[in-house]
Amino acid sequence: MSKTIRIKDIAEKAGVSIGTVDRVLHNRGEVKKATKEKVMAIAEKLNYKPNIAARALKSPTNYKIAVLLPLAQDDNIFWSKHPIGIENGKEAIYPFACTLEFFYYEMHNPADFLKQAAALLEWQANGVILAPILKNESLELCGKLDDLQIPFVFIDTNIEGTNSLSFVGEDAYQAGRVAASLIDTGISKVKDILIVNIAKNLENVQHLNLRNQGFQSYFMDAGDNNGLKISIEIPDTNPKVVKEKLDQVFKNNPNIGGVFVSSSRTFVIADYLQKNNRSNLFLVGYELFGKNSYFLQQRVINFLIGQRPMEQAEKTFRKLFDFMAHNAVPDKKDYQPIDIINTENMDLV
């Protein structure tokens, strides 16, 4: 039977204290670079494996983590993936104890966000996972979490200048540039491009703003297209509202050759294009799910840009938990890969 390698064994081999080895292995406190490298090399050579069960028995804490996410509504199931990833993260930390409590807010409803945020604070969590889609209201919540000294991490959307431990998600600015490059190669350089934002108050929706900025920046320094860039906001997904808005813009701008939808509700625009015999337009949007998948398969949507929400959510949970349980400070930003999806590879993503 092989001998169990202990921290004490590594300390003896490295000629350092047990406390120093513990700090290196659990990323606690300052240790000289040379010492850290020496300890890690010895630990690897000895095939050291931490006794997770013993460590958990020493910790009486049942970590309470609150999660504040947009509600996955009938026409947009993108946000239904994140809770699954977070639950997967919780299962992976066994035998540590963790209690999750989910709070859901309507995507473009600031009052509902604040209501759910108040309920979250009342629950008295040890840590918070937050999707700060609504910038102003999220900043208000972050201030209250700071006052209570409750650590928090951002998922999907980032807000600069806050005390979030980390952000896990796409680089929204770069994702906008990727969308622009796809449309640029798909239409004539003299055709106009329609930019559609499905939002009630675009200025307060951080990730859509960044995608728009990235999209526009591409044509300022890299794109070949020199047509008009026509930007509109549609406040909701009501088919009548969508039709009125788009009928008017296409009537006034007959030279449109490409359409960029800045959110995951790309299917709303695809449905309009199909029903109004405009499926020949080059359409790019975000996220592979349900109705988006259908219109991609029908080739009404040409490309979708995805960010693997379940993997993103599991990683976000782990960063927060490792900070609370092991004092492991995560990187401030962890940008996830951007998937470019079309009909040919949609079954492989």
Side-chain angles (χ1 to χ4, degrees):
M1 181 179 265
S2 61
K3 177 186 174 184
T4 300
I5 301 301
R6 304 164 300 172
I7 288 179
K8 180 181 179 181
D9 300 319
I10 299 172
E12 290 176 354
K13 287 276 186 183
V16 298
S17 69
I18 292 173
T20 297
V21 175
D22 183 74
R23 286 196 298 277
V24 171
L25 296 178
H26 301 125
N27 198 24
R28 299 192 188 101
E30 295 294 326
V31 178
K32 289 181 180 179
K33 183 180 179 182
T35 302
K36 184 175 183 179
E37 290 176 351
K38 183 178 182 180
V39 168
M40 293 302 292
I42 291 171
E44 184 176 353
K45 184 177 181 179
L46 295 177
N47 195 26
Y48 169 75
K49 292 181 175 62
N51 189 335
I52 299 295
R55 193 190 306 164
L57 288 171
K58 292 179 182 178
S59 174
T61 306
N62 179 0
Y63 298 95
K64 294 175 64 178
I65 295 179
V67 185
L68 183 60
L69 300 173
L71 184 66
Q73 296 171 311
D74 292 338
D75 63 348
N76 186 359
I77 62 172
F78 171 68
W79 286 101
S80 67
K81 307 297 183 182
H82 295 77
I84 299 172
I86 291 169
E87 290 283 3
N88 289 344
K90 176 186 173 182
E91 290 181 13
I93 64 167
Y94 178 82
F96 285 94
C98 174
T99 300
L100 290 172
E101 187 73 16
F102 290 88
F103 301 85
Y104 299 102
Y105 63 92
E106 293 181 11
M107 175 77 83
H108 299 297
N109 187 335
D112 192 49
F113 180 100
L114 293 174
K115 177 183 177 182
Q116 296 303 320
L120 179 154
L121 292 170
E122 188 175 347
W123 191 64
Q124 298 182 343
N126 302 120
V128 173
I129 296 172
L130 164 64
I133 304 298
L134 299 175
K135 183 178 180 179
N136 296 334
E137 290 71 26
S138 296
L139 286 172
E140 182 178 331
L141 174 58
C142 291
K144 292 177 180 178
L145 292 173
D146 286 340
D147 291 341
L148 295 168
Q149 297 185 324
I150 298 173
F152 60 93
V153 291
F154 288 150
I155 185 171
D156 182 81
T157 300
N158 189 35
I159 300 179
E160 299 285 354
T162 66
N163 291 318
S164 67
L165 288 173
S166 184
F167 158 69
V168 181
E170 70 173 10
D171 182 331
Y173 185 87
Q174 285 302 126
R177 289 184 63 92
V178 170
S181 70
L182 292 170
I183 290 183
D184 196 35
T185 60
I187 67 173
S188 165
K189 66 179 182 179
V190 298
K191 284 289 187 178
D192 299 336
I193 299 173
L194 175 63
I195 302 167
V196 180
N197 299 290
I198 302 176
K200 291 181 179 178
N201 181 8
L202 181 60
E203 290 184 1
N204 198 31
V205 185
Q206 182 79 345
H207 68 297
L208 299 191
N209 270 307
L210 288 172
R211 286 174 180 172
N212 274 274
Q213 291 169 23
F215 188 89
Q216 295 281 12
S217 76
Y218 176 86
F219 292 105
M220 294 177 186
D221 57 40
D224 291 327
N225 181 273
N226 53 28
L228 296 174
K229 309 301 181 290
I230 304 153
S231 184
I232 65 168
E233 290 183 37
I234 301 178
D236 59 57
T237 58
N238 183 300
K240 183 179 179 181
V241 175
V242 172
K243 181 169 172 50
E244 287 176 356
K245 283 275 189 179
L246 292 179
D247 281 351
Q248 189 64 43
V249 77
F250 283 118
K251 179 181 177 181
N252 295 338
N253 303 276
N255 191 44
I256 292 172
V259 182
F260 166 57
V261 183
S262 63
S263 72
S264 61
R265 297 185 179 187
T266 311
F267 63 88
V268 174
I269 308 307
D271 184 57
Y272 168 89
L273 296 180
Q274 186 178 69
K275 288 177 179 176
N276 290 273
N277 299 315
R278 294 185 179 274
S279 297
N280 61 318
L281 296 180
F282 198 91
L283 177 60
V284 175
Y286 292 89
E287 309 308 342
L288 182 69
F289 66 85
K291 295 178 183 178
N292 278 352
S293 301
Y294 169 78
F295 284 111
L296 185 66
Q297 195 170 42
Q298 296 294 308
R299 300 182 188 274
V300 180
I301 297 175
N302 296 86
F303 286 96
L304 289 169
I305 298 167
Q307 55 178 314
R308 305 186 185 185
M310 285 176 58
E311 295 177 23
Q312 180 188 103
E314 183 171 353
K315 181 178 283 190
T316 305
F317 171 87
R318 191 60 200 236
K319 286 178 180 291
L320 178 60
F321 177 81
D322 283 348
F323 175 79
M324 294 191 302
H326 312 308
N327 199 29
V329 180
D331 292 336
K332 190 71 173 176
K333 294 178 183 176
D334 189 345
Y335 289 130
Q336 300 302 287
I338 296 173
D339 292 328
I340 299 174
I341 310 158
N342 64 8
T343 309
E344 316 310 323
N345 72 343
M346 62 183 294
D347 293 330
L348 304 176
V349 177

